[in-house]
Amino acid sequence: MWDFAFKSFNDPVWGIVIQITLLLVFLVLGNLLRRIIPALRKTFIPAALIGGVLLILFNWLIKTISPSDFKIINAGIMKIVTYHALAIGFIAMTLKVSNNQKKSGLGTLSIQNGFITGATYMIQAVFGILTVLVFLWCGKSIFYALGIELPLAFGQGPGNAMTWDMNFGKLGSGTDGSFGLTLASIGFIVASVVGVIYLNFHRSTGALTKEEMIRERRLEEFIEEHEIEDNDSVDKFSIQIGIVAVCYAITFGIMYGLAQFGDFVSNIAWGFNFIFGVISATLVKVILTQLQKKKVIKYRYINNYQMDRISGFSFDLMIIAGVAAIDFKVLEGFIGVIIALTIVGTLVTYGYVRLMTRHCYKNKEIEHEMFLVNFGTLTGTASNGMILLREVDTQYKTPASDIFIVSQFPAMIAVAPLLLLLDFASKSLTNIYIALGVCALLAIVYTGIILFLSKKFKEREAKK
């Protein structure tokens, strides 16, 4: 017979509920603090990141005053939430029915931007690996593959950085997820602080002007043509959750099937739940679209606005849970490496993205917009990038947001080789040198593709 009485914070009945409640309560507190402190609001630091820091401080306070080293945070549950929230957020984003691809003139510019993303990942990997190798050459005892986590932490956020950091932990890195989570959390701060400095500098020179953040909500943002009714027997939001759940079930099936082919494939399968989530969501979206076209189903079941809310909620949970899961005791021997990777990662990301966006988009008069959305995304998440973009393009009047959204598919293709290298690179020091060479070569190739596409685009524009 079940006993529903509360026994401890790890209680099987109340444990998960308490941990989720803590995340949501401190998310609200983080947002409240951001609202009442103007300095925090102006830096664009996510409320979820502030909430995660508050939760860590609260946990530290409880441990300090408790005689038995009592903890309110269950790090295991926090890591589970971070892992699953990453995939759920990507599934919801992918399921959105995009009209951007119907707009003409975005093809070349979007492909360019996709390869800018891919090349930045490769450059982050090259300089991340080199930074850790310098520590090794100087005699520091450190796991050789930690540097390849830089593009995961800066480029993809806490979920994937934590997953692969935990995989490296099995090989003796001694980090257990906290190294990747810390680097990703710092990435949010880099995106916000550097983005604000960039905005203020270019406003002072007159290159950018301040737009008032006034945005009228229109009915079509919430409901589009031929969608299921709100007053049906099942709530529309429940349907959205159900579709996401179906996609994640398919994702699990794909990963489970691939995991049967041995340890190498298993590590890749379980380590990239978000990629298989994107694949399954794309498959489900195509099937639903075809069924609607053939009149097998009468209505459109996917609501873009509500999918945005699911992905936003998932990424907020991912950020705050990722921060809360950090074990600072584990990080004691890695502070210098984290600082070095942060500095190097920030400089090379800023330098490359600034150079490429200026070269590719200056003639379209969107170089600053494209820099902000790319730099914010490649150090934080897509949310950081879009927040910075909205500061200079409040109404999305420029094609920057469309280019960025459409570029995500070519970006995924360009980034894929790095993701496939991760397990290989972690096996030996020799392999990390090979991975370094491959990433450097791909960075050069991708840059060549960007410059070639830019030249062709300018030639085509000149003939018009």
Side-chain angles (χ1 to χ4, degrees), residues 223-232 234-237 239-240 243 298-303:
I223 303 172
E224 297 191 30
E225 284 186 314
H226 309 301
E227 280 192 0
I228 54 175
E229 298 291 336
D230 266 323
N231 58 357
D232 210 340
V234 180
D235 188 89
K236 185 188 287 188
F237 188 68
I239 296 293
Q240 310 307 304
I243 294 172
K298 295 181 179 179
Y299 301 104
R300 201 171 93 179
Y301 281 82
I302 295 171
N303 179 275

Side-chain angles (χ1 to χ4, degrees), residues 3-4 10 18 32 91 95 124 234 252 265 270 279 331 357 359 409:
D3 183 359
F4 293 101
N10 294 320
I18 289 172
L32 179 63
I91 287 171
L95 282 169
Q124 288 174 339
V234 180
F252 174 81
V265 180
W270 298 116
I279 293 170
L331 296 176
T357 52
H359 177 82
F409 183 71

